[in-house]
Amino acid sequence: MKVKELSEKLARKEIASVEITESYFKKIEKLNPKLNCYLTLCKESALKTAKESDERRSKGKTLGPLDGIPIALKDIFITEGVKTTCASKILENYNPPYEGTTAAAFKKAGAVLLGKLNMDEFAMGSSNEFSAFGPVKNPWNLDCIPGGSSGGSAAAVAADLCVAATGTDTGGSIRQPAALCNIVGLKPTYGRVTRYGLIAFASSLDQAGPMTKDVTDAALMMNVMAGFDPMDSTSLNVPVPDYTASLTKPINGLKLGIPKEYFIDGIDSEVKQAIEIAAKKYETLGAKVETISLPHTKYAVPAYYIIAPAEASANLARYDGVRFGLRTPKPEDLLDLYEKSRTFGFGPEVTLRIVLGTYVLSTGYYDAYYLKAQKVRTLIKKDFLEALQKVDAILTPTAPTPAFKIGEKTDDPLKMYLSDIFTIPVNLAGLPALSLPCGFSKAGLPIGMQLIGKHLGEEKLFQIGFAYEQATEWHKRRPAL
Ligand code: GLN
């Protein structure tokens, strides 16, 4: 079910929120053992919220399009009184004493929280294999990864184990799993959606966004998520449009740029072909497609793997066994307490990033690595800003390949890191980008395309995405489970 569809059914009183919520839990009980997307279920509170929504509606009142709609949050979103683990052993029993802004916004909109979704530990990963609580399976092929780090969200939406979900994206974690599971995912402009109540990974890159079954639903979710938050110092204090308002505007005469640097060696031929066909489709819809250049693209992944670990090493210093989460039972002294709690609490990928990040920030290496990476970041941003003066949006593949097999890349971090080669530059530049379904491989795995827009240009991306969606059928395909 989609947000819009269900919201209309609820309005016509064809179905009650309690009834639909119960049916989602039934489906979750059946399929979650196969997919492992949910880490925590909130059955009792969900049914209570659903009942309140139904009662409100019976009195002729509603809180808007999300009222009574069953959704789920990635387990990186802080939820008061609901376990929030970030898929890490170090937070295995963490019950936040406060509500994050996004969770509060969904509550206020009347949405029903079904549960919290699996992910890579601390959002570090591209395959969901780095969760401390087991991998998520791709609903299109259970031997394949769903993408990451928001793999639980992507799989849950694709398999319809929730109506819509949230994710976070530091280097591609909304868009890449969305592409690999045949759903829509938006990484908003940096600052558009609050980070207050997100467990921090790399604070200058982290951004929360919607993961949904189509563009309309993403717009409806953004209407709840976007906006100024005084609790986040990087939140933008600018008005929020109604994101559904411009969906149906024609795209006649709009210009799309295809960066020549994105068709690298290593890109899957079926992915390349799907993007070429999508570009042709846009031309038949009246858009102009031209080749553009983003010359510093090849430096994006290396720069990201200095900046993101550097920020992560600082952000994760707080998990010291004293203030948060896991504490080793019998420490010999304070140093031993830190060491054992962290060694036991963090998985191998998180440990690797902390070591890397600490190294690039250390005296003597700071200038050579961190400072240089920041300069590269500026060049990458400049590339985009120049290109976006000539075109309305940039069209690229979201990921270089369709979903790969579980275990295929776990021993080779570089191969894994390259999964985000097309998404990482966007985070470095702070721009918004939308991923949407645009084809299938011969093996039956989804392929996604990415539309990159100007700062605060989410509306335009929705408009361009919606036009394509109306003209194609890809987004309608659902996995047979
Ligand atoms: N896969 C990238 C990483 O491991 C991006 C993760 C993300 O966007 N959270 O860092």
Side-chain angles (χ1 to χ4, degrees), residues 12-29:
R12 290 194 299 263
K13 307 226 164 77
E14 283 170 29
I15 198 166
S17 177
V18 166
E19 193 187 332
I20 186 79
T21 302
E22 275 170 348
S23 81
Y24 270 102
F25 279 113
K26 272 211 191 92
K27 222 194 293 183
I28 292 168
E29 275 152 32

Side-chain angles (χ1 to χ4, degrees), residues 254-331:
L254 289 188
K255 274 195 201 154
L256 298 181
I258 300 195
K260 60 171 193 262
E261 292 81 1
Y262 278 48
F263 293 89
I264 39 142
D265 298 343
I267 184 171
D268 183 275
S269 61
E270 291 180 292
V271 170
K272 184 166 176 253
Q273 204 188 6
I275 301 304
E276 285 162 1
I277 297 172
K280 293 232 169 66
K281 188 68 167 182
Y282 270 117
E283 283 177 335
T284 65
L285 294 172
K288 292 197 183 72
V289 180
E290 58 190 70
T291 303
I292 57 158
S293 174
L294 299 168
H296 297 92
T297 297
K298 66 169 183 267
Y299 304 114
V301 172
Y304 172 88
Y305 277 97
I306 289 171
I307 294 168
E311 293 183 17
S313 73
N315 275 326
L316 271 59
R318 74 190 70 176
Y319 306 103
D320 54 7
V322 177
R323 291 167 294 177
F324 289 93
L326 186 117
R327 174 182 302 179
T328 188
K330 286 196 191 96

Side-chain angles (χ1 to χ4, degrees), residues 322-351:
V322 177
R323 291 167 294 177
F324 289 93
L326 186 117
R327 174 182 302 179
T328 188
K330 286 196 191 96
E332 278 159 29
D333 53 29
L334 186 62
L335 195 62
D336 192 52
L337 167 79
Y338 292 156
E339 264 180 31
K340 286 205 180 112
S341 303
R342 286 169 71 82
T343 305
F344 182 75
F346 291 134
E349 182 65 20
V350 174
T351 306

Side-chain angles (χ1 to χ4, degrees), residues 123-126 149 169-173 201 304-305 353 420:
M124 298 173 191
S126 311
S149 64
D169 192 313
T170 304
S173 279
F201 165 10
Y304 172 88
Y305 277 97
R353 307 267 183 124
D420 299 305

Side-chain angles (χ1 to χ4, degrees), residues 24 93 137 200 212 254 276 366 433 449:
Y24 270 102
N93 297 310
K137 311 284 172 65
T212 57
L254 289 188
E276 285 162 1
Y366 182 93
M449 68 181 188

Side-chain angles (χ1 to χ4, degrees), residues 371-387:
L371 201 65
K372 196 158 189 184
Q374 290 292 15
K375 289 180 182 166
V376 171
R377 181 177 187 170
T378 304
L379 292 173
I380 288 166
K381 186 169 171 186
K382 237 176 96 212
D383 282 358
F384 276 114
L385 298 185
E386 275 167 24

Side-chain angles (χ1 to χ4, degrees), residues 36 73 93 112 163 176 182 205-206 211 228-229 277 340:
N36 199 29
L73 302 176
N93 297 310
V112 174
V163 177
Q176 183 256 14
N182 206 45
L205 301 159
D206 296 345
M211 300 177 73
F228 176 61
D229 183 359
I277 297 172
K340 286 205 180 112

